[in-house]
Amino acid sequence: MALNYIWVAFFLIAFVVALIKLIFFGDTEVFPTMMQSTFDMAKTGFDLSIGLTGVLCLWLGIMKIGERGGIVAIVAKFISPLFTKIYPEIPKNHPVFSPMVMNFSMNFLGLDNAATPLGLKAMDGLQELNPNKDTASNAQIMFLVLNTSGLTLIPVSIMAYRALAGAANPSDIFLPILLATYFSTLAGLITVSIYQRINLFNKTVLLYLGTLTAGIIGLILYFNTISQDQIQVISSISSNLILFSIIISFIILALKKKVNVYESFVEGAKEGFSIAIKIIPYLVAMLVAIGVFRESGTLDLITDGLKFGFSFIGVNTEFIDALPTALMKPLSGSGSRSMMVETMNTFGADSFAGRLSSVFQGSTETTLYVLAVYFGSVNIKNSRYAVTAGLIADLVGVIAAIFIAYLFFY
């Protein structure tokens, strides 16, 4: 429903602003420009969706190899001890842990299509443990907030869009996204733990969080000691080395389990075409609305106002051009994806705004949409503090993305 209002608002606000420009400022080009943008953006949306097919087929094929090779089970085994500590209300070894851990594992590896059914199954299992069926339980809130914080190892679709937009190195946002999503997830965990009075100073929790945090801080401190050129070289080499190493590890694990690697790849790759076709209407719808909104001058008015405010207090304002992606992300995945594409088309895939919008897209999940779908699936009416905690995690992710982008790309 929120997306419906946003989409309609783009057109209505653009029309009013354009009418004011025509009547009071004599801008006779505004309406022809807006109409032309509807045709241009519709074509862009279609071309993008078709162009994505190859890259999606590649990575979904790779993911299928990893899934059959047992990588999901390995990740699940790794994070299971942490789960038993942050979900104290769930009995030890309860069957619901299985779909929960698998859901997080698949989200972490970028297997969104497989993650959602498991997430809904986990919510159903948590609802069985919920004493008050109309109100979200502590475990359900923790599960959803961690889910919406969006910790992802391989941002497949974002790299695909960057490749299509002509980025010289589409994977250069790999490390920045990983760092930003870590801070978002950590913020979500801490926020919910404060609400639920969960002891994060438990030895097991400290071991997990302490090790990861120390590594992240060490990485950031190291990058602060070297030049921007060195950062980009190291980021490029390490990102591509890690990604290719993941592909090799998937293949080796699959060979160990005597999986037919080639057939698994082909089966996974087949899903890429169907996904590319499915997103055409969504991408066209949002790109057309955003194109009209920008050509009317409304988006420029908003960004110029923000730039004036931040420059007035002495803050660098180059991040403002990418901010619409961050503002749209909690509401709609397709909307924020379209904002990211539009930003890259306008400023360039390798511009600061283009890269930052990609990091924004990967730093968090579509919080309000995910909460609506997951809670709706089990008829939860009272979500308690879930929205607040989820949006706090989103805010931290956005702030982290800005600082990290300046560190890596500015």
Side-chain angles (χ1 to χ4, degrees), residues 253-280:
L253 283 169
L255 288 173
K256 274 189 171 183
K257 295 192 73 173
K258 294 182 170 54
V259 172
N260 188 316
V261 178
Y262 178 76
E263 286 187 4
S264 297
F265 176 87
V266 171
E267 185 175 335
K270 288 178 181 177
E271 299 174 12
F273 183 77
S274 60
I275 291 173
I277 297 301
K278 284 179 183 176
I279 66 174
I280 289 175

PDB file of all heavy atoms in Angstrom, residues 253-280:
ATOM      1  N   LEU A 253      33.612 -27.684  -3.022  1.00  0.00           N
ATOM      2  CA  LEU A 253      32.670 -28.334  -2.098  1.00  0.00           C
ATOM      3  C   LEU A 253      31.687 -29.213  -2.861  1.00  0.00           C
ATOM      4  O   LEU A 253      31.358 -30.320  -2.412  1.00  0.00           O
ATOM      5  CB  LEU A 253      31.904 -27.271  -1.304  1.00  0.00           C
ATOM      6  CG  LEU A 253      32.653 -26.592  -0.154  1.00  0.00           C
ATOM      7  CD1 LEU A 253      31.871 -25.392   0.353  1.00  0.00           C
ATOM      8  CD2 LEU A 253      32.897 -27.582   0.988  1.00  0.00           C
ATOM      9  N   ALA A 254      31.216 -28.722  -4.002  1.00  0.00           N
ATOM     10  CA  ALA A 254      30.279 -29.502  -4.810  1.00  0.00           C
ATOM     11  C   ALA A 254      30.943 -30.770  -5.349  1.00  0.00           C
ATOM     12  O   ALA A 254      30.337 -31.850  -5.356  1.00  0.00           O
ATOM     13  CB  ALA A 254      29.749 -28.652  -5.965  1.00  0.00           C
ATOM     14  N   LEU A 255      32.194 -30.667  -5.783  1.00  0.00           N
ATOM     15  CA  LEU A 255      32.923 -31.841  -6.266  1.00  0.00           C
ATOM     16  C   LEU A 255      33.115 -32.871  -5.163  1.00  0.00           C
ATOM     17  O   LEU A 255      33.021 -34.078  -5.397  1.00  0.00           O
ATOM     18  CB  LEU A 255      34.287 -31.420  -6.832  1.00  0.00           C
ATOM     19  CG  LEU A 255      34.267 -30.676  -8.173  1.00  0.00           C
ATOM     20  CD1 LEU A 255      35.661 -30.174  -8.520  1.00  0.00           C
ATOM     21  CD2 LEU A 255      33.722 -31.578  -9.291  1.00  0.00           C
ATOM     22  N   LYS A 256      33.374 -32.375  -3.944  1.00  0.00           N
ATOM     23  CA  LYS A 256      33.551 -33.282  -2.802  1.00  0.00           C
ATOM     24  C   LYS A 256      32.283 -34.079  -2.520  1.00  0.00           C
ATOM     25  O   LYS A 256      32.344 -35.236  -2.100  1.00  0.00           O
ATOM     26  CB  LYS A 256      33.943 -32.493  -1.546  1.00  0.00           C
ATOM     27  CG  LYS A 256      35.438 -32.244  -1.424  1.00  0.00           C
ATOM     28  CD  LYS A 256      35.737 -31.654  -0.050  1.00  0.00           C
ATOM     29  CE  LYS A 256      37.247 -31.612   0.180  1.00  0.00           C
ATOM     30  NZ  LYS A 256      37.570 -31.113   1.526  1.00  0.00           N
ATOM     31  N   LYS A 257      31.148 -33.444  -2.741  1.00  0.00           N
ATOM     32  CA  LYS A 257      29.866 -34.116  -2.502  1.00  0.00           C
ATOM     33  C   LYS A 257      29.357 -34.842  -3.744  1.00  0.00           C
ATOM     34  O   LYS A 257      28.218 -35.285  -3.779  1.00  0.00           O
ATOM     35  CB  LYS A 257      28.818 -33.098  -2.026  1.00  0.00           C
ATOM     36  CG  LYS A 257      29.140 -32.486  -0.664  1.00  0.00           C
ATOM     37  CD  LYS A 257      27.970 -31.714  -0.092  1.00  0.00           C
ATOM     38  CE  LYS A 257      26.884 -32.647   0.387  1.00  0.00           C
ATOM     39  NZ  LYS A 257      25.807 -31.926   1.108  1.00  0.00           N
ATOM     40  N   LYS A 258      30.243 -34.926  -4.741  1.00  0.00           N
ATOM     41  CA  LYS A 258      29.907 -35.626  -5.992  1.00  0.00           C
ATOM     42  C   LYS A 258      28.680 -35.031  -6.687  1.00  0.00           C
ATOM     43  O   LYS A 258      27.841 -35.740  -7.239  1.00  0.00           O
ATOM     44  CB  LYS A 258      29.720 -37.120  -5.734  1.00  0.00           C
ATOM     45  CG  LYS A 258      31.014 -37.819  -5.304  1.00  0.00           C
ATOM     46  CD  LYS A 258      30.788 -39.297  -5.097  1.00  0.00           C
ATOM     47  CE  LYS A 258      32.104 -40.029  -4.907  1.00  0.00           C
ATOM     48  NZ  LYS A 258      32.972 -39.502  -3.850  1.00  0.00           N
ATOM     49  N   VAL A 259      28.571 -33.710  -6.612  1.00  0.00           N
ATOM     50  CA  VAL A 259      27.494 -32.993  -7.293  1.00  0.00           C
ATOM     51  C   VAL A 259      27.898 -32.758  -8.745  1.00  0.00           C
ATOM     52  O   VAL A 259      29.061 -32.477  -9.040  1.00  0.00           O
ATOM     53  CB  VAL A 259      27.227 -31.639  -6.599  1.00  0.00           C
ATOM     54  CG1 VAL A 259      26.244 -30.791  -7.413  1.00  0.00           C
ATOM     55  CG2 VAL A 259      26.712 -31.853  -5.183  1.00  0.00           C
ATOM     56  N   ASN A 260      26.944 -32.904  -9.654  1.00  0.00           N
ATOM     57  CA  ASN A 260      27.198 -32.567 -11.050  1.00  0.00           C
ATOM     58  C   ASN A 260      27.212 -31.043 -11.155  1.00  0.00           C
ATOM     59  O   ASN A 260      26.165 -30.392 -11.210  1.00  0.00           O
ATOM     60  CB  ASN A 260      26.117 -33.162 -11.955  1.00  0.00           C
ATOM     61  CG  ASN A 260      26.460 -33.007 -13.437  1.00  0.00           C
ATOM     62  OD1 ASN A 260      26.901 -31.946 -13.860  1.00  0.00           O
ATOM     63  ND2 ASN A 260      26.250 -34.067 -14.214  1.00  0.00           N
ATOM     64  N   VAL A 261      28.415 -30.473 -11.153  1.00  0.00           N
ATOM     65  CA  VAL A 261      28.588 -29.022 -11.083  1.00  0.00           C
ATOM     66  C   VAL A 261      27.965 -28.319 -12.286  1.00  0.00           C
ATOM     67  O   VAL A 261      27.252 -27.318 -12.138  1.00  0.00           O
ATOM     68  CB  VAL A 261      30.087 -28.664 -10.972  1.00  0.00           C
ATOM     69  CG1 VAL A 261      30.274 -27.145 -10.949  1.00  0.00           C
ATOM     70  CG2 VAL A 261      30.687 -29.285  -9.726  1.00  0.00           C
ATOM     71  N   TYR A 262      28.214 -28.845 -13.458  1.00  0.00           N
ATOM     72  CA  TYR A 262      27.717 -28.209 -14.685  1.00  0.00           C
ATOM     73  C   TYR A 262      26.188 -28.185 -14.700  1.00  0.00           C
ATOM     74  O   TYR A 262      25.572 -27.149 -14.974  1.00  0.00           O
ATOM     75  CB  TYR A 262      28.250 -28.940 -15.908  1.00  0.00           C
ATOM     76  CG  TYR A 262      27.742 -28.377 -17.214  1.00  0.00           C
ATOM     77  CD1 TYR A 262      28.250 -27.183 -17.723  1.00  0.00           C
ATOM     78  CD2 TYR A 262      26.740 -29.028 -17.933  1.00  0.00           C
ATOM     79  CE1 TYR A 262      27.777 -26.655 -18.913  1.00  0.00           C
ATOM     80  CE2 TYR A 262      26.261 -28.498 -19.131  1.00  0.00           C
ATOM     81  CZ  TYR A 262      26.786 -27.319 -19.612  1.00  0.00           C
ATOM     82  OH  TYR A 262      26.317 -26.796 -20.786  1.00  0.00           O
ATOM     83  N   GLU A 263      25.561 -29.320 -14.401  1.00  0.00           N
ATOM     84  CA  GLU A 263      24.095 -29.378 -14.412  1.00  0.00           C
ATOM     85  C   GLU A 263      23.497 -28.472 -13.341  1.00  0.00           C
ATOM     86  O   GLU A 263      22.444 -27.859 -13.552  1.00  0.00           O
ATOM     87  CB  GLU A 263      23.627 -30.822 -14.224  1.00  0.00           C
ATOM     88  CG  GLU A 263      23.820 -31.690 -15.465  1.00  0.00           C
ATOM     89  CD  GLU A 263      23.189 -33.062 -15.306  1.00  0.00           C
ATOM     90  OE1 GLU A 263      22.544 -33.303 -14.254  1.00  0.00           O
ATOM     91  OE2 GLU A 263      23.325 -33.889 -16.223  1.00  0.00           O
ATOM     92  N   SER A 264      24.158 -28.404 -12.179  1.00  0.00           N
ATOM     93  CA  SER A 264      23.677 -27.525 -11.117  1.00  0.00           C
ATOM     94  C   SER A 264      23.731 -26.067 -11.556  1.00  0.00           C
ATOM     95  O   SER A 264      22.805 -25.294 -11.311  1.00  0.00           O
ATOM     96  CB  SER A 264      24.528 -27.717  -9.850  1.00  0.00           C
ATOM     97  OG  SER A 264      24.408 -29.020  -9.365  1.00  0.00           O
ATOM     98  N   PHE A 265      24.842 -25.715 -12.227  1.00  0.00           N
ATOM     99  CA  PHE A 265      24.973 -24.341 -12.720  1.00  0.00           C
ATOM    100  C   PHE A 265      23.864 -24.017 -13.714  1.00  0.00           C
ATOM    101  O   PHE A 265      23.219 -22.960 -13.633  1.00  0.00           O
ATOM    102  CB  PHE A 265      26.334 -24.146 -13.383  1.00  0.00           C
ATOM    103  CG  PHE A 265      26.508 -22.782 -13.991  1.00  0.00           C
ATOM    104  CD1 PHE A 265      26.974 -21.724 -13.221  1.00  0.00           C
ATOM    105  CD2 PHE A 265      26.187 -22.539 -15.324  1.00  0.00           C
ATOM    106  CE1 PHE A 265      27.124 -20.455 -13.778  1.00  0.00           C
ATOM    107  CE2 PHE A 265      26.325 -21.276 -15.879  1.00  0.00           C
ATOM    108  CZ  PHE A 265      26.796 -20.235 -15.101  1.00  0.00           C
ATOM    109  N   VAL A 266      23.631 -24.911 -14.648  1.00  0.00           N
ATOM    110  CA  VAL A 266      22.610 -24.685 -15.674  1.00  0.00           C
ATOM    111  C   VAL A 266      21.224 -24.551 -15.037  1.00  0.00           C
ATOM    112  O   VAL A 266      20.434 -23.679 -15.420  1.00  0.00           O
ATOM    113  CB  VAL A 266      22.620 -25.824 -16.718  1.00  0.00           C
ATOM    114  CG1 VAL A 266      21.422 -25.709 -17.658  1.00  0.00           C
ATOM    115  CG2 VAL A 266      23.919 -25.793 -17.519  1.00  0.00           C
ATOM    116  N   GLU A 267      20.948 -25.400 -14.054  1.00  0.00           N
ATOM    117  CA  GLU A 267      19.632 -25.345 -13.399  1.00  0.00           C
ATOM    118  C   GLU A 267      19.432 -24.021 -12.681  1.00  0.00           C
ATOM    119  O   GLU A 267      18.355 -23.418 -12.736  1.00  0.00           O
ATOM    120  CB  GLU A 267      19.492 -26.505 -12.416  1.00  0.00           C
ATOM    121  CG  GLU A 267      18.108 -26.576 -11.794  1.00  0.00           C
ATOM    122  CD  GLU A 267      17.924 -27.795 -10.910  1.00  0.00           C
ATOM    123  OE1 GLU A 267      18.630 -28.801 -11.136  1.00  0.00           O
ATOM    124  OE2 GLU A 267      17.079 -27.740 -10.000  1.00  0.00           O
ATOM    125  N   GLY A 268      20.479 -23.568 -11.984  1.00  0.00           N
ATOM    126  CA  GLY A 268      20.383 -22.279 -11.306  1.00  0.00           C
ATOM    127  C   GLY A 268      20.295 -21.125 -12.289  1.00  0.00           C
ATOM    128  O   GLY A 268      19.548 -20.167 -12.080  1.00  0.00           O
ATOM    129  N   ALA A 269      21.059 -21.231 -13.387  1.00  0.00           N
ATOM    130  CA  ALA A 269      21.083 -20.163 -14.383  1.00  0.00           C
ATOM    131  C   ALA A 269      19.724 -19.980 -15.048  1.00  0.00           C
ATOM    132  O   ALA A 269      19.366 -18.863 -15.459  1.00  0.00           O
ATOM    133  CB  ALA A 269      22.149 -20.458 -15.436  1.00  0.00           C
ATOM    134  N   LYS A 270      18.959 -21.069 -15.171  1.00  0.00           N
ATOM    135  CA  LYS A 270      17.628 -20.970 -15.785  1.00  0.00           C
ATOM    136  C   LYS A 270      16.734 -19.993 -15.029  1.00  0.00           C
ATOM    137  O   LYS A 270      15.855 -19.358 -15.612  1.00  0.00           O
ATOM    138  CB  LYS A 270      16.965 -22.350 -15.824  1.00  0.00           C
ATOM    139  CG  LYS A 270      17.574 -23.304 -16.849  1.00  0.00           C
ATOM    140  CD  LYS A 270      16.901 -24.665 -16.784  1.00  0.00           C
ATOM    141  CE  LYS A 270      17.518 -25.646 -17.779  1.00  0.00           C
ATOM    142  NZ  LYS A 270      16.910 -26.997 -17.680  1.00  0.00           N
ATOM    143  N   GLU A 271      16.959 -19.887 -13.716  1.00  0.00           N
ATOM    144  CA  GLU A 271      16.135 -18.984 -12.903  1.00  0.00           C
ATOM    145  C   GLU A 271      16.420 -17.525 -13.244  1.00  0.00           C
ATOM    146  O   GLU A 271      15.581 -16.659 -13.029  1.00  0.00           O
ATOM    147  CB  GLU A 271      16.398 -19.245 -11.424  1.00  0.00           C
ATOM    148  CG  GLU A 271      16.046 -20.654 -10.966  1.00  0.00           C
ATOM    149  CD  GLU A 271      16.464 -20.907  -9.525  1.00  0.00           C
ATOM    150  OE1 GLU A 271      16.816 -19.922  -8.840  1.00  0.00           O
ATOM    151  OE2 GLU A 271      16.451 -22.073  -9.089  1.00  0.00           O
ATOM    152  N   GLY A 272      17.643 -17.253 -13.743  1.00  0.00           N
ATOM    153  CA  GLY A 272      18.016 -15.880 -14.054  1.00  0.00           C
ATOM    154  C   GLY A 272      17.118 -15.250 -15.096  1.00  0.00           C
ATOM    155  O   GLY A 272      16.724 -14.084 -14.975  1.00  0.00           O
ATOM    156  N   PHE A 273      16.770 -16.022 -16.132  1.00  0.00           N
ATOM    157  CA  PHE A 273      15.925 -15.487 -17.200  1.00  0.00           C
ATOM    158  C   PHE A 273      14.533 -15.152 -16.670  1.00  0.00           C
ATOM    159  O   PHE A 273      13.988 -14.075 -16.951  1.00  0.00           O
ATOM    160  CB  PHE A 273      15.826 -16.497 -18.344  1.00  0.00           C
ATOM    161  CG  PHE A 273      15.032 -16.000 -19.513  1.00  0.00           C
ATOM    162  CD1 PHE A 273      15.573 -15.100 -20.410  1.00  0.00           C
ATOM    163  CD2 PHE A 273      13.715 -16.414 -19.708  1.00  0.00           C
ATOM    164  CE1 PHE A 273      14.840 -14.617 -21.488  1.00  0.00           C
ATOM    165  CE2 PHE A 273      12.971 -15.942 -20.771  1.00  0.00           C
ATOM    166  CZ  PHE A 273      13.534 -15.041 -21.667  1.00  0.00           C
ATOM    167  N   SER A 274      13.950 -16.058 -15.895  1.00  0.00           N
ATOM    168  CA  SER A 274      12.589 -15.822 -15.381  1.00  0.00           C
ATOM    169  C   SER A 274      12.549 -14.619 -14.443  1.00  0.00           C
ATOM    170  O   SER A 274      11.595 -13.832 -14.460  1.00  0.00           O
ATOM    171  CB  SER A 274      12.063 -17.076 -14.668  1.00  0.00           C
ATOM    172  OG  SER A 274      12.891 -17.417 -13.576  1.00  0.00           O
ATOM    173  N   ILE A 275      13.618 -14.454 -13.635  1.00  0.00           N
ATOM    174  CA  ILE A 275      13.667 -13.304 -12.727  1.00  0.00           C
ATOM    175  C   ILE A 275      13.782 -12.009 -13.514  1.00  0.00           C
ATOM    176  O   ILE A 275      13.107 -11.015 -13.220  1.00  0.00           O
ATOM    177  CB  ILE A 275      14.847 -13.446 -11.739  1.00  0.00           C
ATOM    178  CG1 ILE A 275      14.579 -14.600 -10.766  1.00  0.00           C
ATOM    179  CG2 ILE A 275      15.070 -12.150 -10.967  1.00  0.00           C
ATOM    180  CD1 ILE A 275      15.742 -14.934  -9.866  1.00  0.00           C
ATOM    181  N   ALA A 276      14.634 -12.008 -14.540  1.00  0.00           N
ATOM    182  CA  ALA A 276      14.809 -10.806 -15.369  1.00  0.00           C
ATOM    183  C   ALA A 276      13.493 -10.395 -16.022  1.00  0.00           C
ATOM    184  O   ALA A 276      13.175  -9.204 -16.106  1.00  0.00           O
ATOM    185  CB  ALA A 276      15.882 -11.061 -16.426  1.00  0.00           C
ATOM    186  N   ILE A 277      12.724 -11.373 -16.486  1.00  0.00           N
ATOM    187  CA  ILE A 277      11.430 -11.078 -17.117  1.00  0.00           C
ATOM    188  C   ILE A 277      10.428 -10.556 -16.087  1.00  0.00           C
ATOM    189  O   ILE A 277       9.674  -9.606 -16.349  1.00  0.00           O
ATOM    190  CB  ILE A 277      10.866 -12.344 -17.810  1.00  0.00           C
ATOM    191  CG1 ILE A 277      11.794 -12.791 -18.948  1.00  0.00           C
ATOM    192  CG2 ILE A 277       9.463 -12.079 -18.347  1.00  0.00           C
ATOM    193  CD1 ILE A 277      12.020 -11.757 -20.026  1.00  0.00           C
ATOM    194  N   LYS A 278      10.452 -11.145 -14.894  1.00  0.00           N
ATOM    195  CA  LYS A 278       9.481 -10.760 -13.861  1.00  0.00           C
ATOM    196  C   LYS A 278       9.646  -9.313 -13.405  1.00  0.00           C
ATOM    197  O   LYS A 278       8.661  -8.656 -13.043  1.00  0.00           O
ATOM    198  CB  LYS A 278       9.621 -11.697 -12.653  1.00  0.00           C
ATOM    199  CG  LYS A 278       9.013 -13.071 -12.851  1.00  0.00           C
ATOM    200  CD  LYS A 278       9.225 -13.941 -11.615  1.00  0.00           C
ATOM    201  CE  LYS A 278       8.688 -15.352 -11.824  1.00  0.00           C
ATOM    202  NZ  LYS A 278       8.966 -16.228 -10.655  1.00  0.00           N
ATOM    203  N   ILE A 279      10.891  -8.825 -13.395  1.00  0.00           N
ATOM    204  CA  ILE A 279      11.101  -7.486 -12.840  1.00  0.00           C
ATOM    205  C   ILE A 279      10.826  -6.373 -13.856  1.00  0.00           C
ATOM    206  O   ILE A 279      10.827  -5.197 -13.483  1.00  0.00           O
ATOM    207  CB  ILE A 279      12.530  -7.322 -12.287  1.00  0.00           C
ATOM    208  CG1 ILE A 279      13.568  -7.384 -13.419  1.00  0.00           C
ATOM    209  CG2 ILE A 279      12.819  -8.335 -11.200  1.00  0.00           C
ATOM    210  CD1 ILE A 279      14.968  -7.084 -12.960  1.00  0.00           C
ATOM    211  N   ILE A 280      10.555  -6.722 -15.129  1.00  0.00           N
ATOM    212  CA  ILE A 280      10.336  -5.690 -16.144  1.00  0.00           C
ATOM    213  C   ILE A 280       9.219  -4.708 -15.756  1.00  0.00           C
ATOM    214  O   ILE A 280       9.443  -3.492 -15.734  1.00  0.00           O
ATOM    215  CB  ILE A 280      10.037  -6.317 -17.533  1.00  0.00           C
ATOM    216  CG1 ILE A 280      11.303  -6.948 -18.113  1.00  0.00           C
ATOM    217  CG2 ILE A 280       9.508  -5.264 -18.513  1.00  0.00           C
ATOM    218  CD1 ILE A 280      11.087  -7.688 -19.422  1.00  0.00           C
TER     219      ILE A 280
END
